Amino acid sequence: MSEYDLAVVGGGPAGAAAAIEAAGLGLRCLLFDEGSDAGGQVYRPPAFAAATGGPDAAAGAALRAGLAGSAVERAFGHRVWFAGPAAEAAGFELQAVGPEGNRRVTARALLAAAGTSERVFPCAGWTLPGVTGLAAATILLKSQKVLPGRRVVVAGCGPLLPLVAVGILELGGAVAALVDLNGPADWLAALPGLAARPDLALRGLGWLARLRRAGVPLYTRWGVRAVSGREAVEAVEIGPVEADWRPSRQRPALRIEADALCLGHGLLPASELTRLLGAAHAYRPEAGGWLPVLDEAGRTSLPLLYAAGDGARLLGAGAAPLAGRLAALAAARDLGRLSEAAFAQRAAPLRRRLRRAARFGTAMARLCTPRPGLVEGLGADAVACRCEELTRGELGAAIAAGAGSLAALKAATRCGMGPCGGRLCNATAHALLAAAGRSAAEIGAPSARPPLRPVPLAALTGSFDYADVPIRELSPR
Amino acid sequence: MSGAGSEGRTWDAAVIGGGIMGAATAIRLGLGGLRVVLLEAGALGMGASGVNAGTLSLQIKRARLMPYALRGHALWRAAGERVGFHQTGGLTLAFTEQEAAVLTERMTERREAGAPIELIAPGRVRALAPRLSDRVLLASWCPVDGYANSSLTGSYYRAALREAGVELREGRRVERVVREARGYRLEAPGASLSARRLVLAAGAWSGRLAAGLGCPLPVHARVNTVSVTTRMPRLVDCIVGHATGLLTLKQSDNGSVLIGGGWQGRGDPDRGPGAVVAESLLTNLRLAQYALPDLARARLLRSWTGYEAHVPDFYPLAGALPGLEEAYVLACVRGGYTIGPYIGRLLGDLILGREPELPLFDPGRFAAPETRSRREEEERVDGDERPIG
């Protein structure tokens, strides 16, 4: 018999809410997270006492208090590296490296709520020290109270742009320019979605007013052309872009002196777990890329496997706990612990609230949907895969020689084989293949393999004697 | 590229399977003047040919296959940088008396078969690879052993097929082969074509295709696990194996360590890709770490599996399909990464009506007894073979 009814991977707003809901329904529930406590990236536990304050901090504290008051068994500081069908019981086997070494658990049902990683499309010079992702910058600013630089260019797309710029001002830094790929028309198109969360929309307007008061130059429908410097960032060249985000040829570029660039192009759902287990996925660029196919309650194509939160599709932090709770209800229903009537009664209001909350997150995600010009305008010398130091030109040559899928491109060039596991370059590789005329079906989803994230080998092998290694049979002579 | 539906032309030869076996055969046929089409269900060189650990070791080749392995090894050497060939020398380690006895017996046999293998004492092992375990009792050393980068199989053969004038069609899974008056008709979704000659080189899937032609072959698949670590400082220059054959280990130029040895994952070729089994992987890692203790400081980056096909006697299927005209199979070659480029040429020669330089391995040995000749019967089994895993 499985040790747990439900294992939840990821203690952000989706996973934590799901675990609390499931435990409330009487399910034996285990919650994994890599961090020291729940909260995820958005409600990240503060690194030290002074790093508190703001609405996100309050929401994080409430989430952690809710979890502490629940029957959920928590496994923080654990990196889940393996998932597969359990050999000895119906359900899943998970393996996670934690403070006490490798741990194996079995669970009848599994919820993937692993959140996102950051998507940064390359530009010339983006590997120079001093270039930080926008999401990474929010962690520096919010949790560590550290400035990315003294004079910073903030560039890319989406709601993190004003958030990071204001964060820099509040810590006493200077924002040399805010460079937004989207123009006023793109933000206008997002208005109906923004109206779903007037509180957050007002917060955004407050940020913009704050930036205006500080005299921060705002460039809309502009992008970064190149980053330059000898040892680290010294200047950022920016210029206007066309509607598809290709650098516009007609108008001149500007060179801005700065010692840091915060650059980001939205978030990338971490769907490795559901891909590793072989659930069906579909390419939905407006919701983050390759995503598990889900029903309304977060069920994947595989029995008793669920996904919720931004790791399943980009709907935002407001929608995440609702999606998490729905998935927990579905798991309880599928495990026979909730009647159909009780499920329907509890799920209906959650679904209504989720649809409303999702409007805001969807509008924000759409502002970050990659457009083809982002990579088509990229110079041949720009580094596209950082781990393997591959340029756009090298990837382009392999594509021209016949590599038509992510897998073939990876085999031919090693793109995505480094320690990042493709998280930093798959979006770029996908975009380059798409620019060469390949369809999403041809390009394919990135393959997910264990370990889901790199793990220390010694933690896996533990202490052992040679006699413990079961060498039973010899290969044929 | 052809569109959907049927093609008017009849190809001289159609090869099913774009791994090393199929590509090497197709190239020989193309260079021999035939109009050849190669059909691959996925992408070229992305099956077992592209996901194996890349080991080119004569120490893990069976004596009877040694002449083939020596010649295959020479072909990889000639391909050089295009396939990431490295001649590093190879060590095979024994940690117990029993393993030392097995090592002595096997390596003596393999040296007699032509591989330049010598048995060496622990002191020499320390000189060759000082960071290996100090618990080695006995080892064997083969100076020509090495490895290539199996990820480059696809791009290497893509260029070679183009040069040989072979028409390559990827993403074409042949679902059915039908006998016609003069040749065969291959049916794949959205396209079908006819060819005078047929070559099945579809690895673990070859058995099913042959069965469809009324020629069942006992093809089984093993699900081999391979792992790679993050980059490490230089730990070992040569490739490393274990007396049982249950470990292969090498550190590539970029510092990452590749670990294999045929530990079994889970999967069925007819149901999609295989998957890693954690317990099996952990054992593989322990054996690797025992051989190279510094691996304890590495991080495991990625583990994956590939299907390795075999028949009960673990010798190749290489030759004409019994009872059929101009239909051939090339699969189940243990050590196929090393041997493939060469044995593909041999099969090509057989099809072209030339005398192959070395004998092939008649698939007829697995045909129903009444169709099998007495000589084949005698050749069929080496008494001591047994499957592993």
Side-chain angles (χ1 to χ4, degrees):
Chain A
M1 206 176 93
S2 291
E3 300 158 87
Y4 297 94
D5 295 315
L6 176 67
V8 179
V9 177
I20 294 168
E21 183 82 25
L25 292 166
L27 270 61
R28 287 166 305 154
C29 181
L30 176 65
L31 174 65
F32 281 110
D33 197 273
E34 287 190 353
S36 60
D37 206 335
Q41 297 299 349
V42 59
Y43 305 138
R44 200 177 174 83
F48 48 91
T52 51
D56 286 351
L63 175 149
R64 285 182 280 276
L67 208 50
S70 77
V72 174
E73 187 182 325
R74 283 151 283 168
F76 295 129
H78 277 75
R79 170 166 285 198
V80 174
W81 65 273
F82 180 86
E88 75 277 30
F92 299 92
E93 166 192 345
L94 292 176
Q95 300 217 17
V97 168
E100 267 113 61
N102 191 37
R103 179 176 175 193
R104 177 185 188 275
V105 303
T106 55
R108 290 179 66 195
L110 176 60
L111 170 63
T116 61
S117 59
E118 178 161 28
R119 181 170 56 204
V120 182
F121 282 99
C123 62
W126 73 304
T127 54
L128 274 174
V131 180
T132 322
L134 281 178
T138 64
I139 294 166
L140 272 180
L141 293 164
K142 270 201 301 188
S143 180
Q144 313 283 333
K145 301 286 175 195
V146 168
L147 279 169
R150 276 168 307 187
R151 196 176 144 74
V152 189
V153 172
V154 179
C157 51
L160 290 181
L161 286 174
L163 174 66
V164 167
V166 166
I168 290 168
L169 294 179
E170 281 176 356
L171 285 186
V175 178
L178 194 153
V179 186
D180 190 348
L181 284 164
N182 288 298
D186 302 304
W187 282 94
L188 266 176
L191 267 184
L194 292 177
R197 285 296 298 271
D199 55 331
L200 294 180
L202 271 175
R203 206 165 137 197
L205 284 176
W207 290 337
L208 290 178
R210 173 88 176 74
L211 293 173
R212 199 164 299 129
R213 277 201 308 280
V216 171
L218 187 63
Y219 299 89
T220 59
R221 196 165 269 189
W222 275 49
V224 174
R225 300 259 167 106
V227 189
S228 58
R230 280 177 303 269
E231 304 285 316
V233 176
E234 290 172 16
V236 180
E237 191 182 311
I238 61 172
V241 297
E242 307 286 350
D244 73 347
W245 292 353
R246 179 188 313 269
S248 137
R249 298 248 175 265
Q250 279 76 37
R251 293 163 60 190
L254 261 182
R255 187 186 141 91
I256 296 181
E257 307 278 328
D259 65 351
L261 166 67
C262 296
L263 179 69
H265 303 96
L267 299 172
L268 209 54
S271 58
E272 289 92 348
L273 186 57
T274 47
R275 280 188 276 125
L276 175 64
L277 287 164
H281 285 68
Y283 187 66
R284 292 185 52 196
E286 77 292 348
W290 284 101
L291 304 173
V293 176
L294 300 178
D295 78 356
E296 265 206 319
R299 293 180 179 95
T300 69
S301 65
L302 297 179
L304 297 172
L305 177 64
Y306 310 82
D310 277 355
R313 40 187 99 297
L314 296 176
L315 302 177
L322 303 166
R325 290 174 63 192
L326 264 172
L329 290 176
R333 170 72 200 117
D334 299 341
L335 289 169
R337 305 287 277 276
L338 203 57
S339 71
E340 186 58 43
F343 170 76
Q345 191 200 348
R346 288 167 193 240
L350 285 176
R351 280 206 191 103
R352 273 196 303 277
R353 290 172 59 196
L354 175 61
R355 274 197 291 273
R356 184 172 170 79
R359 276 165 48 201
F360 180 83
T362 302
M364 292 299 102
R366 275 183 197 282
L367 288 170
C368 298
T369 306
R371 301 188 193 175
L374 257 186
V375 298
E376 284 177 31
L378 194 59
D381 291 339
V383 171
C385 166
R386 298 182 76 136
C387 302
E388 300 292 336
E389 292 174 3
L390 297 163
T391 62
R392 183 238 199 268
E394 287 169 303
L395 296 188
I399 292 169
S405 65
L406 268 186
L409 187 59
K410 177 173 155 183
T413 65
R414 299 190 56 81
C415 177
M417 280 195 190
C420 86
R423 275 175 283 278
L424 295 176
C425 58
N426 278 338
T428 305
H430 185 111
L432 288 172
L433 286 159
R438 301 288 184 169
S439 69
E442 286 175 293
I443 295 166
S447 56
R449 302 276 179 261
L452 291 162
R453 297 276 198 281
V455 278
L457 201 119
L460 299 180
T461 52
S463 72
F464 66 95
D465 290 326
Y466 190 60
D468 299 337
V469 181
I471 299 170
R472 282 184 296 265
E473 309 251 14
L474 304 179
S475 59
R477 296 166 63 183
Chain B
M1 299 289 286
S2 78
S6 173
E7 280 180 27
R9 80 193 293 192
T10 297
W11 294 86
D12 291 334
V15 180
I16 303 177
I20 294 172
M21 304 296 161
T25 308
I27 288 166
R28 193 65 159 184
L29 296 177
L31 294 175
L34 301 192
R35 290 178 313 132
V36 185
V37 61
L38 173 59
L39 296 140
E40 162 55 43
L44 187 71
M46 298 288 287
S49 301
V51 303
N52 70 81
T55 308
L56 298 171
S57 171
L58 298 176
Q59 296 180 74
I60 52 175
K61 298 299 175 289
R62 302 166 75 191
R64 191 174 155 199
L65 293 176
M66 197 61 75
Y68 305 82
L70 285 161
R71 288 163 175 83
H73 194 279
L75 292 177
W76 283 115
R77 183 203 316 268
E81 255 181 37
R82 290 169 292 170
V83 293
F85 177 84
H86 287 74
Q87 184 168 309
T88 60
L91 280 170
T92 304
L93 313 178
F95 296 114
T96 66
E97 294 291 349
Q98 194 209 352
E99 289 167 8
V102 167
L103 188 73
T104 304
E105 187 194 340
R106 291 187 171 190
M107 294 307 160
T108 304
E109 205 174 83
R110 288 167 191 177
R111 182 174 52 198
E112 281 162 7
I117 300 171
E118 55 178 320
L119 290 165
I120 62 172
R124 179 102 188 273
V125 175
R126 268 194 295 282
L128 286 163
R131 307 193 77 94
L132 285 183
S133 165
D134 56 10
R135 314 245 178 109
V136 175
L137 218 55
L138 181 72
S140 56
W141 167 251
C142 178
V144 300
D145 278 0
Y147 66 92
N149 178 358
S150 70
S151 299
L152 296 177
T153 303
S155 45
Y156 171 69
Y157 275 113
R158 192 182 302 282
L161 287 165
R162 196 175 293 153
E163 244 170 73
V166 175
E167 167 97 359
L168 169 64
R169 298 192 184 165
E170 296 171 277
R172 293 278 195 281
R173 183 177 294 280
V174 176
E175 291 184 336
R176 213 158 73 98
V177 182
V178 186
R179 292 167 74 169
E180 287 183 324
R182 294 190 63 205
Y184 298 88
R185 172 162 203 78
L186 285 66
E187 293 175 359
S192 70
L193 55 85
S194 294
R196 302 278 300 281
R197 302 170 187 81
L198 172 72
V199 180
L200 306 183
W205 294 269
S206 303
R208 189 164 43 86
L209 288 165
L213 285 163
C215 184
L217 292 169
V219 175
H220 307 285
R222 286 166 52 78
V223 189
N224 292 343
T225 306
V226 185
S227 301
V228 66
T229 70
T230 50
R231 295 171 184 204
M232 295 287 288
R234 183 92 338 232
L235 299 177
V236 61
D237 293 323
C238 62
I239 66 166
V240 179
H242 186 260
T244 58
L246 291 173
L247 174 69
T248 68
L249 186 155
K250 64 191 70 76
Q251 187 172 23
S252 41
D253 281 346
N254 71 13
S256 59
V257 179
L258 209 56
I259 300 165
W263 289 88
Q264 292 300 286
R266 153 180 69 74
D268 174 348
D270 289 332
R271 290 169 178 223
V276 171
V277 168
E279 204 48 46
S280 187
L281 167 65
L282 294 180
T283 308
N284 193 182
L285 297 178
R286 285 186 186 117
L287 187 55
Q289 187 188 320
Y290 191 82
L292 183 60
D294 285 334
L295 278 178
R297 293 185 287 112
R299 286 156 77 79
L300 179 68
L301 178 57
R302 189 168 53 247
S303 300
W304 63 93
T305 62
Y307 288 119
E308 183 191 38
H310 65 87
V311 282
D313 64 8
F314 286 91
Y315 282 113
L317 293 174
L321 282 167
L324 293 170
E325 281 193 23
E326 297 286 6
Y328 305 85
V329 61
L330 180 55
C332 300
V333 185
R334 196 175 173 80
Y337 183 65
T338 309
I339 297 172
Y342 178 68
I343 202 166
R345 288 187 176 190
L346 294 184
L347 183 69
D349 285 343
L350 178 79
I351 296 169
L352 290 166
R354 305 169 181 163
E355 178 68 24
E357 187 181 34
L358 288 176
L360 284 159
F361 294 80
D362 186 359
R365 66 188 188 275
F366 294 112
E370 61 270 21
T371 60
R372 204 159 59 212
S373 77
R374 184 163 178 79
R375 197 177 132 269
E376 285 167 339
E377 188 83 53
E378 281 163 3
E379 274 186 0
R380 186 179 158 202
V381 183
D382 296 14
D384 59 356
E385 306 306 348
R386 54 185 163 153
I388 56 174

